[in-house]
Structures are given as C-alpha cells and as structure tokens.
Amino acid sequence: MTLQLTNPQALSLWLNTVSTLVRGEETHDLTSRQMAILLTVYLTPGPHTVRGLAAELDITKPVVTRALDTLGRLGLLKRRRDMTDKRNVLIDRTPRGSSYLGQLSDIIVTAGFDA
C-alpha cells in the first residue's frame, strides 16, 4: 500500500514530526546525517562499516565517524572490531536504538494524523 500525500501534507507531516522531536525529553534531536546513518543501520541488511555507510549515503568517512561518535554516546549504535579482519570496525544496533526508532515511528504516525 502506498501512502499518497500532497506536498503541503508531506511538509506538514515532517513539521509535526520534527516539532515533536525537538521538544521531546525522551527523544534525541538528531541531525539529518545522524538520522540517515541510524536508519540505514536499522533498515538495511548489514554488516555495516564506516566505509560502507559513507558509500551508501554518498558522504565522507569523517562525517560518518563524527555521527557515529554521537550515536555511540547516546547508546543508539555501537562499534566493534571485526574479528575476521581487524582493520574493519562494524556498526551494530542496540536495544536503546531500537527503542528510539520505535518511539520515532510512533511520533511519525501520530504526526500523520495531525497533518
């Protein structure tokens, strides 16, 4: 099933979602890059690496690294050394990250009803 929104409805949905995020105490106000990385790790099959995320999102590795630093501090993602190739660092999901995205999806659904 495809959701059909007009441009004003889509923007209203985004406004309602972002407004809820910026004033919410239980949700983090992530940058667009941080959100893109978080969603990529949770919604696409892994394993995920800095190099792979940079290529997938067409951004630089330092940008990915900085975003991962923040997402790691927030407990939304974690990094671990790839034991088969110690040069690689793998990006893993966390229970806290899963919970955050569950809250986010609830916010989006609610915002859609208000759009």
Short mmCIF file of all heavy atoms in Angstrom, two decimals, residues 57-106:
data_model
loop_
_atom_site.label_atom_id
_atom_site.label_comp_id
_atom_site.label_asym_id
_atom_site.label_seq_id
_atom_site.Cartn_x
_atom_site.Cartn_y
_atom_site.Cartn_z
N LEU A 57 25.50 6.42 1.62
CA LEU A 57 24.88 7.74 1.80
C LEU A 57 25.57 8.84 0.99
O LEU A 57 25.13 9.99 1.02
CB LEU A 57 24.86 8.11 3.28
CG LEU A 57 24.02 7.17 4.15
CD1 LEU A 57 24.26 7.45 5.62
CD2 LEU A 57 22.55 7.28 3.80
N ASP A 58 26.65 8.48 0.30
CA ASP A 58 27.42 9.42 -0.51
C ASP A 58 27.90 10.61 0.32
O ASP A 58 27.70 11.76 -0.03
CB ASP A 58 26.61 9.90 -1.72
CG ASP A 58 27.47 10.59 -2.76
OD1 ASP A 58 28.69 10.34 -2.80
OD2 ASP A 58 26.93 11.40 -3.54
N ILE A 59 28.51 10.27 1.47
CA ILE A 59 29.12 11.26 2.35
C ILE A 59 30.52 10.77 2.70
O ILE A 59 30.86 9.62 2.40
CB ILE A 59 28.28 11.51 3.63
CG1 ILE A 59 28.03 10.20 4.39
CG2 ILE A 59 26.96 12.19 3.28
CD1 ILE A 59 27.21 10.35 5.68
N THR A 60 31.32 11.60 3.31
CA THR A 60 32.70 11.22 3.61
C THR A 60 32.79 10.34 4.86
O THR A 60 31.92 10.39 5.74
CB THR A 60 33.60 12.45 3.79
OG1 THR A 60 33.17 13.15 4.97
CG2 THR A 60 33.54 13.36 2.58
N LYS A 61 33.87 9.59 4.95
CA LYS A 61 34.10 8.74 6.13
C LYS A 61 34.23 9.57 7.41
O LYS A 61 33.68 9.16 8.45
CB LYS A 61 35.31 7.84 5.92
CG LYS A 61 35.05 6.76 4.88
CD LYS A 61 36.15 5.72 4.79
CE LYS A 61 37.41 6.34 4.25
NZ LYS A 61 38.51 5.37 4.07
N PRO A 62 34.91 10.74 7.40
CA PRO A 62 34.96 11.54 8.63
C PRO A 62 33.58 11.99 9.11
O PRO A 62 33.33 12.05 10.31
CB PRO A 62 35.84 12.73 8.26
CG PRO A 62 36.71 12.23 7.15
CD PRO A 62 35.84 11.27 6.38
N VAL A 63 32.69 12.28 8.18
CA VAL A 63 31.32 12.67 8.55
C VAL A 63 30.63 11.50 9.24
O VAL A 63 29.95 11.67 10.26
CB VAL A 63 30.53 13.16 7.32
CG1 VAL A 63 29.05 13.25 7.60
CG2 VAL A 63 31.07 14.50 6.83
N VAL A 64 30.80 10.31 8.69
CA VAL A 64 30.20 9.11 9.29
C VAL A 64 30.79 8.88 10.67
O VAL A 64 30.05 8.62 11.64
CB VAL A 64 30.42 7.87 8.39
CG1 VAL A 64 29.98 6.60 9.10
CG2 VAL A 64 29.67 8.03 7.07
N THR A 65 32.10 9.02 10.79
CA THR A 65 32.77 8.80 12.08
C THR A 65 32.26 9.76 13.14
O THR A 65 31.96 9.35 14.27
CB THR A 65 34.29 8.93 11.92
OG1 THR A 65 34.73 7.92 11.00
CG2 THR A 65 35.01 8.76 13.25
N ARG A 66 32.12 11.03 12.79
CA ARG A 66 31.61 12.02 13.77
C ARG A 66 30.18 11.68 14.18
O ARG A 66 29.82 11.76 15.37
CB ARG A 66 31.68 13.43 13.20
CG ARG A 66 33.07 14.02 13.19
CD ARG A 66 33.07 15.51 12.88
NE ARG A 66 32.48 15.83 11.60
CZ ARG A 66 33.14 15.86 10.43
NH1 ARG A 66 34.43 15.56 10.40
NH2 ARG A 66 32.51 16.19 9.31
N ALA A 67 29.35 11.29 13.21
CA ALA A 67 27.97 10.93 13.53
C ALA A 67 27.94 9.69 14.43
O ALA A 67 27.17 9.62 15.39
CB ALA A 67 27.18 10.69 12.25
N LEU A 68 28.79 8.72 14.13
CA LEU A 68 28.85 7.50 14.95
C LEU A 68 29.34 7.80 16.37
O LEU A 68 28.89 7.15 17.32
CB LEU A 68 29.74 6.45 14.30
CG LEU A 68 29.19 5.81 13.03
CD1 LEU A 68 30.24 4.92 12.39
CD2 LEU A 68 27.91 5.04 13.31
N ASP A 69 30.23 8.78 16.51
CA ASP A 69 30.67 9.19 17.85
C ASP A 69 29.47 9.62 18.68
O ASP A 69 29.29 9.19 19.82
CB ASP A 69 31.69 10.32 17.77
CG ASP A 69 33.04 9.90 17.23
OD1 ASP A 69 33.33 8.69 17.19
OD2 ASP A 69 33.81 10.80 16.83
N THR A 70 28.64 10.47 18.09
CA THR A 70 27.45 10.97 18.80
C THR A 70 26.44 9.85 19.04
O THR A 70 25.92 9.70 20.16
CB THR A 70 26.79 12.11 18.00
OG1 THR A 70 27.72 13.17 17.86
CG2 THR A 70 25.53 12.62 18.69
N LEU A 71 26.15 9.07 18.01
CA LEU A 71 25.18 7.99 18.15
C LEU A 71 25.65 6.95 19.17
O LEU A 71 24.83 6.39 19.90
CB LEU A 71 24.91 7.35 16.79
CG LEU A 71 24.21 8.26 15.77
CD1 LEU A 71 24.26 7.66 14.38
CD2 LEU A 71 22.78 8.56 16.19
N GLY A 72 26.95 6.74 19.25
CA GLY A 72 27.50 5.83 20.25
C GLY A 72 27.36 6.39 21.65
O GLY A 72 27.00 5.66 22.58
N ARG A 73 27.65 7.68 21.82
CA ARG A 73 27.49 8.31 23.15
C ARG A 73 26.05 8.23 23.62
O ARG A 73 25.79 8.09 24.81
CB ARG A 73 27.94 9.77 23.11
CG ARG A 73 29.42 9.98 23.30
CD ARG A 73 29.79 11.42 23.58
NE ARG A 73 29.33 12.34 22.55
CZ ARG A 73 29.97 12.61 21.41
NH1 ARG A 73 31.11 12.00 21.15
NH2 ARG A 73 29.48 13.47 20.54
N LEU A 74 25.11 8.33 22.69
CA LEU A 74 23.69 8.27 23.03
C LEU A 74 23.21 6.82 23.23
O LEU A 74 22.08 6.60 23.66
CB LEU A 74 22.85 8.95 21.94
CG LEU A 74 23.07 10.45 21.77
CD1 LEU A 74 22.34 10.95 20.53
CD2 LEU A 74 22.64 11.20 23.02
N GLY A 75 24.06 5.86 22.90
CA GLY A 75 23.69 4.45 23.05
C GLY A 75 22.79 3.93 21.95
O GLY A 75 22.19 2.86 22.09
N LEU A 76 22.69 4.65 20.84
CA LEU A 76 21.80 4.25 19.76
C LEU A 76 22.45 3.26 18.79
O LEU A 76 21.75 2.50 18.12
CB LEU A 76 21.30 5.48 19.00
CG LEU A 76 20.56 6.52 19.86
CD1 LEU A 76 20.19 7.74 19.03
CD2 LEU A 76 19.34 5.92 20.53
N LEU A 77 23.76 3.28 18.70
CA LEU A 77 24.56 2.34 17.91
C LEU A 77 25.82 2.03 18.69
O LEU A 77 26.19 2.78 19.59
CB LEU A 77 24.96 2.96 16.56
CG LEU A 77 23.86 3.23 15.54
CD1 LEU A 77 24.44 3.97 14.33
CD2 LEU A 77 23.19 1.95 15.10
N LYS A 78 26.48 0.95 18.33
CA LYS A 78 27.78 0.67 18.94
C LYS A 78 28.72 0.14 17.86
O LYS A 78 28.31 -0.40 16.85
CB LYS A 78 27.67 -0.31 20.10
CG LYS A 78 27.25 -1.70 19.71
CD LYS A 78 27.18 -2.59 20.93
CE LYS A 78 26.71 -3.97 20.49
NZ LYS A 78 26.60 -4.88 21.60
N ARG A 79 30.01 0.35 18.11
CA ARG A 79 31.04 -0.13 17.19
C ARG A 79 31.78 -1.29 17.84
O ARG A 79 31.94 -1.34 19.05
CB ARG A 79 32.05 0.98 16.92
CG ARG A 79 31.49 2.11 16.13
CD ARG A 79 32.58 3.13 15.87
NE ARG A 79 32.23 4.36 16.56
CZ ARG A 79 32.76 5.53 16.28
NH1 ARG A 79 33.68 5.65 15.37
NH2 ARG A 79 32.39 6.59 16.95
N ARG A 80 32.21 -2.20 16.97
CA ARG A 80 33.04 -3.31 17.45
C ARG A 80 34.02 -3.68 16.35
O ARG A 80 33.75 -3.51 15.17
CB ARG A 80 32.22 -4.50 17.89
CG ARG A 80 31.49 -5.19 16.77
CD ARG A 80 30.69 -6.40 17.28
NE ARG A 80 29.75 -6.83 16.28
CZ ARG A 80 30.06 -7.67 15.28
NH1 ARG A 80 31.26 -8.18 15.17
NH2 ARG A 80 29.14 -8.00 14.39
N ARG A 81 35.15 -4.18 16.75
CA ARG A 81 36.19 -4.61 15.81
C ARG A 81 35.74 -5.88 15.11
O ARG A 81 35.20 -6.80 15.74
CB ARG A 81 37.49 -4.85 16.58
CG ARG A 81 38.68 -5.21 15.77
CD ARG A 81 39.27 -4.15 14.92
NE ARG A 81 39.60 -2.93 15.62
CZ ARG A 81 39.87 -1.80 15.01
NH1 ARG A 81 39.86 -1.73 13.70
NH2 ARG A 81 40.15 -0.72 15.69
N ASP A 82 35.91 -5.95 13.81
CA ASP A 82 35.63 -7.15 13.02
C ASP A 82 36.74 -8.15 13.32
O ASP A 82 37.90 -7.92 12.97
CB ASP A 82 35.59 -6.79 11.54
CG ASP A 82 35.26 -7.96 10.64
OD1 ASP A 82 35.21 -9.11 11.13
OD2 ASP A 82 35.08 -7.73 9.43
N MET A 83 36.42 -9.25 13.96
CA MET A 83 37.43 -10.22 14.36
C MET A 83 38.02 -10.98 13.17
O MET A 83 39.11 -11.52 13.28
CB MET A 83 36.86 -11.20 15.40
CG MET A 83 36.41 -10.50 16.68
SD MET A 83 37.59 -9.30 17.33
CE MET A 83 38.85 -10.38 17.96
N THR A 84 37.33 -11.01 12.04
CA THR A 84 37.88 -11.69 10.86
C THR A 84 38.82 -10.78 10.08
O THR A 84 39.68 -11.26 9.36
CB THR A 84 36.75 -12.18 9.92
OG1 THR A 84 35.98 -11.07 9.49
CG2 THR A 84 35.86 -13.19 10.65
N ASP A 85 38.65 -9.47 10.20
CA ASP A 85 39.54 -8.50 9.56
C ASP A 85 39.65 -7.32 10.51
O ASP A 85 38.81 -6.43 10.50
CB ASP A 85 38.97 -8.06 8.21
CG ASP A 85 39.88 -7.08 7.47
OD1 ASP A 85 40.86 -6.58 8.09
OD2 ASP A 85 39.61 -6.81 6.30
N LYS A 86 40.65 -7.34 11.32
CA LYS A 86 40.77 -6.36 12.41
C LYS A 86 40.94 -4.93 11.93
O LYS A 86 40.94 -4.01 12.73
CB LYS A 86 41.90 -6.76 13.35
CG LYS A 86 41.56 -8.06 14.05
CD LYS A 86 42.53 -8.39 15.12
CE LYS A 86 42.24 -9.78 15.59
NZ LYS A 86 42.04 -10.01 16.91
N ARG A 87 41.09 -4.73 10.61
CA ARG A 87 41.15 -3.37 10.08
C ARG A 87 39.76 -2.73 10.04
O ARG A 87 39.63 -1.52 10.01
CB ARG A 87 41.74 -3.36 8.67
CG ARG A 87 43.19 -3.84 8.61
CD ARG A 87 43.62 -4.01 7.20
NE ARG A 87 42.82 -5.09 6.58
CZ ARG A 87 42.85 -5.42 5.30
NH1 ARG A 87 43.64 -4.77 4.47
NH2 ARG A 87 42.12 -6.40 4.85
N ASN A 88 38.73 -3.56 10.02
CA ASN A 88 37.36 -3.07 9.91
C ASN A 88 36.71 -2.89 11.28
O ASN A 88 36.96 -3.66 12.20
CB ASN A 88 36.49 -4.05 9.11
CG ASN A 88 36.79 -4.01 7.64
OD1 ASN A 88 37.22 -3.00 7.10
ND2 ASN A 88 36.56 -5.14 6.97
N VAL A 89 35.85 -1.89 11.34
CA VAL A 89 35.00 -1.68 12.50
C VAL A 89 33.56 -1.86 12.03
O VAL A 89 33.14 -1.26 11.05
CB VAL A 89 35.21 -0.26 13.09
CG1 VAL A 89 34.22 0.00 14.21
CG2 VAL A 89 36.64 -0.10 13.58
N LEU A 90 32.84 -2.72 12.73
CA LEU A 90 31.44 -2.98 12.39
C LEU A 90 30.53 -2.14 13.26
O LEU A 90 30.83 -1.88 14.43
CB LEU A 90 31.13 -4.46 12.57
CG LEU A 90 31.97 -5.42 11.74
CD1 LEU A 90 31.64 -6.86 12.09
CD2 LEU A 90 31.78 -5.17 10.25
N ILE A 91 29.43 -1.72 12.69
CA ILE A 91 28.44 -0.90 13.39
C ILE A 91 27.26 -1.79 13.72
O ILE A 91 26.68 -2.42 12.84
CB ILE A 91 27.97 0.29 12.51
CG1 ILE A 91 29.15 0.99 11.81
CG2 ILE A 91 27.11 1.23 13.32
CD1 ILE A 91 30.25 1.46 12.71
N ASP A 92 26.90 -1.84 15.00
CA ASP A 92 25.82 -2.70 15.47
C ASP A 92 24.66 -1.90 16.04
O ASP A 92 24.84 -0.80 16.57
CB ASP A 92 26.33 -3.64 16.57
CG ASP A 92 27.30 -4.68 16.05
OD1 ASP A 92 27.17 -5.10 14.89
OD2 ASP A 92 28.20 -5.07 16.82
N ARG A 93 23.50 -2.50 15.95
CA ARG A 93 22.29 -1.95 16.57
C ARG A 93 22.38 -2.16 18.08
O ARG A 93 23.13 -3.02 18.55
CB ARG A 93 21.07 -2.68 16.03
CG ARG A 93 20.93 -2.57 14.54
CD ARG A 93 19.88 -3.54 14.05
NE ARG A 93 19.78 -3.45 12.60
CZ ARG A 93 19.20 -4.34 11.85
NH1 ARG A 93 18.65 -5.42 12.41
NH2 ARG A 93 19.15 -4.19 10.55
N THR A 94 21.58 -1.40 18.81
CA THR A 94 21.49 -1.56 20.26
C THR A 94 20.02 -1.60 20.67
O THR A 94 19.16 -1.12 19.94
CB THR A 94 22.16 -0.38 21.01
OG1 THR A 94 21.42 0.81 20.73
CG2 THR A 94 23.63 -0.21 20.60
N PRO A 95 19.73 -2.17 21.83
CA PRO A 95 18.34 -2.14 22.32
C PRO A 95 17.83 -0.70 22.46
O PRO A 95 16.67 -0.41 22.13
CB PRO A 95 18.42 -2.84 23.67
CG PRO A 95 19.61 -3.75 23.56
CD PRO A 95 20.58 -3.00 22.69
N ARG A 96 18.69 0.19 22.92
CA ARG A 96 18.28 1.59 23.08
C ARG A 96 17.95 2.22 21.72
O ARG A 96 17.01 3.00 21.60
CB ARG A 96 19.38 2.37 23.79
CG ARG A 96 18.96 3.75 24.17
CD ARG A 96 20.00 4.39 25.06
NE ARG A 96 19.53 5.67 25.51
CZ ARG A 96 20.12 6.39 26.41
NH1 ARG A 96 21.22 5.95 26.98
NH2 ARG A 96 19.64 7.55 26.76
N GLY A 97 18.74 1.89 20.70
CA GLY A 97 18.48 2.40 19.36
C GLY A 97 17.16 1.87 18.81
O GLY A 97 16.39 2.60 18.19
N SER A 98 16.90 0.61 19.04
CA SER A 98 15.63 0.01 18.60
C SER A 98 14.45 0.68 19.29
O SER A 98 13.43 0.98 18.66
CB SER A 98 15.61 -1.49 18.90
OG SER A 98 16.58 -2.15 18.13
N SER A 99 14.59 0.93 20.58
CA SER A 99 13.54 1.61 21.33
C SER A 99 13.32 3.03 20.79
O SER A 99 12.18 3.47 20.61
CB SER A 99 13.90 1.65 22.80
OG SER A 99 12.96 2.39 23.53
N TYR A 100 14.42 3.73 20.53
CA TYR A 100 14.33 5.10 20.00
C TYR A 100 13.58 5.10 18.67
O TYR A 100 12.69 5.93 18.46
CB TYR A 100 15.74 5.68 19.80
CG TYR A 100 15.73 7.02 19.12
CD1 TYR A 100 15.46 8.18 19.84
CD2 TYR A 100 15.98 7.13 17.76
CE1 TYR A 100 15.44 9.41 19.21
CE2 TYR A 100 15.96 8.36 17.13
CZ TYR A 100 15.69 9.50 17.86
OH TYR A 100 15.66 10.71 17.24
N LEU A 101 13.90 4.18 17.77
CA LEU A 101 13.22 4.16 16.49
C LEU A 101 11.76 3.73 16.62
O LEU A 101 10.92 4.16 15.84
CB LEU A 101 13.98 3.27 15.50
CG LEU A 101 15.30 3.88 15.03
CD1 LEU A 101 16.03 2.92 14.11
CD2 LEU A 101 15.08 5.22 14.34
N GLY A 102 11.45 2.91 17.62
CA GLY A 102 10.05 2.60 17.90
C GLY A 102 9.28 3.84 18.32
O GLY A 102 8.16 4.09 17.85
N GLN A 103 9.90 4.65 19.19
CA GLN A 103 9.28 5.91 19.60
C GLN A 103 9.14 6.86 18.41
O GLN A 103 8.12 7.51 18.25
CB GLN A 103 10.12 6.60 20.68
CG GLN A 103 10.12 5.91 22.01
CD GLN A 103 11.12 6.56 22.98
OE1 GLN A 103 12.13 7.12 22.57
NE2 GLN A 103 10.81 6.46 24.25
N LEU A 104 10.18 6.90 17.58
CA LEU A 104 10.14 7.77 16.41
C LEU A 104 9.02 7.37 15.46
O LEU A 104 8.28 8.23 14.97
CB LEU A 104 11.49 7.74 15.67
CG LEU A 104 11.56 8.56 14.39
CD1 LEU A 104 11.33 10.04 14.67
CD2 LEU A 104 12.89 8.34 13.70
N SER A 105 8.86 6.09 15.22
CA SER A 105 7.79 5.67 14.32
C SER A 105 6.41 6.00 14.90
O SER A 105 5.50 6.39 14.16
CB SER A 105 7.90 4.18 13.98
OG SER A 105 7.77 3.38 15.12
N ASP A 106 6.26 5.90 16.21
CA ASP A 106 5.00 6.30 16.85
C ASP A 106 4.76 7.80 16.66
O ASP A 106 3.63 8.23 16.39
CB ASP A 106 5.02 5.99 18.35
CG ASP A 106 4.95 4.50 18.65
OD1 ASP A 106 4.58 3.71 17.75
OD2 ASP A 106 5.29 4.12 19.79
#
